[in-house]
Amino acid sequence: MDKIPSGSVNLRSHILDSGYIMSDTLTLDVFGRRVEVNGEHATVRFSGVVPPTAGLWLGVEWDNPERGKHDGSHEGTVYFKCRHATGGSFIRPNKVNFGVDFLTAVKNRYVLEDGPEEDRKEQIIIGNKLVETVGFDSIIKQQSQLSKLQEVSLRNCAVNGAGGKGGIAETCPNIRKLDLSRNLLSSWDEVILIADQLKHLDVLNLSENKLQFPSGAPSLTGTFSAMKVLVLNRTGITWAKVLQCVPGWPALEELYLESNNIFISERPTDVLQMLKLLDLSGNQLIDENQLFLIAYLPRLEQLILSNTGISSIHFPDAGIGCKTSMFPSLQYLVVNDNQISQWSFINELDKLQSLHSLSCLRNPLTEVNKDAQTVRQLIIARIGQLKTLNKCEIPVEERRGAELDYRKAFGNEWKKAGGHQDPDKNRPNEEFLAAHPRFQLLCLKFGAPEDGELKTQQPFMLKNQLLKLKIKCPNQLDQKVIEKQLPDSMTIQKVKGLLSRLLKVPVSELLLSYESPKMPGREIELGNDQQTLQFYSVENGDCLLVRW
């Protein structure tokens, strides 16, 4: 942007959208101010006359570049510059809302005016949900006692600053959770003036405020000493500014930095030591080398990397079957909406020593010509300690089935690579071990795959899908063992129906489980009536156990 000299402009009586009248004598420093026009937000880049028209104009750069008409030029003269060719407009001051101070916004939202009671309909944000306050009169009356307010949402209330000195501390000092998202705050200094009066503040949301951050390290005033959660999505903050400001956030546990075009350029040193959650979603410049710079945050448990474009990851300090020293506390990883197309990415995640939960939706690996259930089973088999995948818990029987199927699916490839049922001869080559780093461990767990398991199946011929099973009733000593051939696609519900007819017992009373010669001493419950025998990895020679 061109440097525009700072100063003030005399605005002739203009009535702002907020309802305030600006007189002939009132001057206002408008350069860089955030404004709202018909629901759209912008930044003032110019104030003055634009010939040949008379009168005062404001030149604004819109947050949404499609809202504008030009780049700040008019008839060959450049009045201001925009990042986008259509990001700018000239607007009369009486069309512009410069907003209100913090206390005015609080009173507008939380205080009932005197007068006859009537239903008030208003939309407010509670968490991430839009709620109409129909019938909330009693709540509003309670919250009108401003000094008792602890949770305040002023999203989209055109807040432009703190207002009079000390007013917030005097009126509503007990606020702990504050949502100031999508307002007209223009600088971090204004945020400090508000937060400095809220000594108990521990959650602050500043998303969608285009903030100017300090050019140097801000002084450590203790303003944010209690803050645990800070949301700075779409604020324009850079990683360098984060590291400049973060010494002032010593207790911070959750930091949200979505969609800021962040490039991680430097390792955090002696800061962010308490951080448990970091959200870098929507920052398309992130890659694996940048992630290594944050890999040693000691308490980081949750890392959100959705829509960053990441496609690969490799932990160079850990070989096959070993755990990395990076991300030592990471339990929950989100990599939705990325460019992950290789199973090597999933294999590497098994090296994370604490990873329990993964969300990996809408990636080429999971979307292109892949059956969703098959992909899920492959991910489960490749990451041994995973307990939750895509927000769905992984039951013990699902893991067992996934690992057995994985062992069979790649058994022929394992044999061709040098794998053998004899442990002394079992030496698969490095290429196979790199592609399937958990395969040897699964052979130790379940035994090496036998030749009979590795025969090519003909799935469309029923005779090739029939399982020869024994059926025992452990609690009925006089009941003989039954042998049956059942299709592996048969649901547990249908198996129960069959057994109900054979044993003359109501379906609702039947409890099924099974045991396998490959897992001596272990009994697997068949608890989901909608799943198939194949889902539970029931195989030829296994024994169904029936109780009622």
Side-chain angles (χ1 to χ4, degrees):
M1 296 295 299
D2 285 342
K3 288 187 177 180
I4 303 175
S6 61
S8 59
V9 57
N10 192 332
L11 297 178
R12 297 189 180 95
S13 292
H14 291 298
I15 302 176
L16 302 184
D17 290 352
S18 60
Y20 289 101
I21 299 176
M22 307 191 70
S23 67
D24 288 336
T25 59
L26 180 65
T27 59
L28 184 66
D29 187 6
V30 298
F31 301 113
R33 288 285 297 273
R34 298 283 293 159
V35 294
E36 181 265 332
V37 183
N38 297 327
E40 296 274 2
H41 286 193
T43 303
V44 178
R45 302 298 187 194
F46 166 82
S47 176
V49 178
V50 181
T53 59
L56 187 68
W57 291 93
L58 296 179
V60 301
E61 181 178 9
W62 299 100
D63 291 1
N64 175 13
E66 296 180 0
R67 172 65 175 79
K69 297 181 178 180
H70 51 71
D71 62 356
S73 303
H74 180 65
E75 294 187 354
T77 301
V78 178
Y79 292 90
F80 62 99
K81 287 187 177 180
C82 296
R83 288 166 297 175
H84 300 276
T86 60
S89 294
F90 291 107
I91 298 179
R92 293 294 190 183
N94 66 329
K95 302 292 185 182
V96 173
N97 179 10
F98 282 89
V100 298
D101 63 62
F102 182 89
L103 274 183
T104 299
V106 169
K107 291 174 182 177
N108 286 345
R109 171 147 289 191
Y110 290 97
V111 177
L112 276 178
E113 297 179 1
D114 294 333
E117 291 191 10
E118 57 182 26
D119 286 341
R120 295 175 51 151
K121 181 180 288 190
E122 182 183 350
Q123 289 185 330
I124 64 173
I125 300 291
I126 299 177
N128 292 324
K129 296 180 179 178
L130 195 64
V131 179
E132 281 196 344
T133 62
V134 179
F136 280 10
D137 283 353
S138 61
I139 297 175
I140 298 174
K141 287 178 181 178
Q142 180 181 356
Q143 291 181 329
S144 68
Q145 301 177 42
L146 299 182
S147 64
K148 296 181 180 179
L149 280 176
Q150 294 191 17
E151 297 189 23
V152 170
S153 175
L154 297 177
R155 176 176 171 80
N156 208 22
C157 286
V159 177
N160 60 20
K165 186 177 181 180
I168 298 173
E170 181 179 347
T171 307
C172 46
N174 294 308
I175 296 174
R176 292 181 177 274
K177 297 181 179 180
L178 178 58
D179 184 353
L180 283 172
S181 59
R182 192 166 172 75
N183 276 290
L184 301 181
L185 297 167
S186 58
S187 73
W188 186 250
D189 291 338
E190 284 293 345
V191 175
I192 290 176
L193 291 175
I194 294 171
D196 199 39
Q197 302 179 60
L198 301 172
K199 301 303 182 183
H200 306 290
L201 187 65
D202 59 13
V203 178
L204 177 59
N205 186 350
L206 296 167
S207 298
E208 299 174 80
N209 288 283
K210 300 296 183 183
L211 297 171
Q212 289 292 321
F213 290 87
S215 56
S219 57
L220 301 178
T221 60
T223 299
F224 301 101
S225 59
M227 188 170 62
K228 293 183 179 179
V229 179
L230 179 59
V231 187
L232 294 172
N233 300 336
R234 295 177 292 282
T235 58
I237 194 169
T238 64
W239 185 250
K241 294 300 181 185
V242 170
L243 295 186
Q244 279 183 13
C245 295
V246 79
W249 314 331
L252 195 66
E253 295 182 358
E254 298 183 14
L255 179 58
Y256 298 82
L257 299 171
E258 181 181 338
S259 301
N260 284 303
N261 288 320
I262 279 178
F263 181 93
I264 300 174
S265 54
E266 185 179 346
R267 185 191 302 269
T269 304
D270 299 325
V271 291
L272 297 176
Q273 298 299 293
M274 305 297 290
L275 196 68
K276 295 181 179 180
L277 183 152
L278 179 60
D279 185 353
L280 294 168
S281 299
N283 292 290
Q284 294 283 328
L285 302 177
I286 299 289
D287 61 27
E288 63 175 308
N289 292 322
Q290 295 174 55
L291 295 180
F292 295 155
L293 295 175
I294 59 170
Y296 294 100
L297 293 173
R299 291 179 174 83
L300 187 64
E301 297 175 357
Q302 300 184 55
L303 181 59
I304 305 174
L305 298 172
S306 296
N307 192 30
T308 58
I310 193 167
S311 60
S312 62
I313 190 76
H314 175 62
F315 300 110
D317 65 327
I320 295 172
C322 300
K323 298 296 183 184
T324 178
S325 62
M326 298 183 183
F327 298 103
S329 301
L330 188 65
Q331 299 178 23
Y332 181 51
L333 177 64
V334 180
V335 287
N336 299 333
D337 302 296
N338 281 301
Q339 299 301 316
I340 300 166
S341 60
Q342 300 297 320
W343 285 108
S344 58
F345 187 103
I346 303 299
N347 291 340
E348 286 296 304
L349 299 185
D350 188 55
K351 295 179 179 180
L352 293 168
Q353 54 189 285
S354 302
L355 187 68
H356 292 157
S357 298
L358 173 68
S359 188
C360 184
L361 299 169
R362 297 178 296 278
N363 281 279
L365 184 68
T366 61
E367 297 294 306
V368 180
N369 299 320
K370 296 284 197 314
D371 174 71
Q373 187 61 28
T374 300
V375 171
R376 177 177 171 85
Q377 301 305 303
L378 288 171
I379 293 175
I380 290 171
R382 288 172 184 265
I383 306 178
Q385 70 274 25
L386 210 59
K387 292 183 170 62
T388 304
L389 177 57
N390 299 330
K391 297 187 177 181
C392 293
E393 188 178 352
I394 303 170
V396 173
E397 61 267 21
E398 183 180 14
R399 170 162 293 284
R400 180 179 182 276
E403 292 178 343
L404 282 171
D405 285 350
Y406 184 85
R407 171 178 151 278
K408 287 187 286 186
F410 296 98
N412 281 321
E413 188 178 332
W414 166 75
K415 289 189 69 176
K416 290 177 182 177
H420 200 282
Q421 281 90 356
D422 184 345
D424 294 332
K425 299 179 181 179
N426 182 23
R427 296 185 183 87
N429 60 36
E430 290 186 8
E431 183 180 357
F432 178 85
L433 293 177
H436 305 281
R438 292 198 72 231
F439 197 92
Q440 294 287 77
L441 181 63
L442 296 181
C443 288
L444 290 174
K445 184 176 180 179
F446 299 110
E450 300 172 2
D451 291 341
E453 296 179 89
L454 304 181
K455 290 179 180 179
T456 303
Q457 297 292 314
Q458 300 178 42
F460 297 106
M461 296 179 65
L462 182 60
K463 66 179 182 180
N464 291 320
Q465 295 180 313
L466 291 177
L467 303 174
K468 190 174 183 179
L469 304 174
K470 294 180 180 180
I471 300 172
K472 291 182 182 179
C473 304
N475 297 341
Q476 312 297 324
L477 299 179
D478 57 341
Q479 181 69 49
K480 294 181 180 180
V481 176
I482 303 171
E483 288 194 358
K484 280 286 182 183
Q485 284 190 321
L486 303 178
D488 62 2
S489 59
M490 195 172 191
T491 64
I492 304 305
Q493 187 175 36
K494 290 182 178 180
V495 173
K496 284 183 176 180
L498 172 66
L499 294 173
S500 174
R501 292 190 293 274
L502 284 174
L503 303 170
K504 310 300 182 185
V505 178
V507 170
S508 60
E509 296 182 15
L510 294 178
L511 298 174
L512 296 191
S513 58
Y514 82 98
E515 55 189 11
S516 171
K518 295 179 181 178
M519 302 278 288
R522 185 171 178 185
E523 188 175 326
I524 308 298
E525 181 183 354
L526 303 176
N528 188 336
D529 286 356
Q530 306 307 313
Q531 295 292 359
T532 64
L533 293 170
Q534 183 183 39
F535 173 82
Y536 287 105
S537 296
V538 179
E539 299 178 334
N540 270 320
D542 288 348
C543 182
L544 294 183
L545 303 176
V546 189
R547 295 180 175 89
W548 62 89

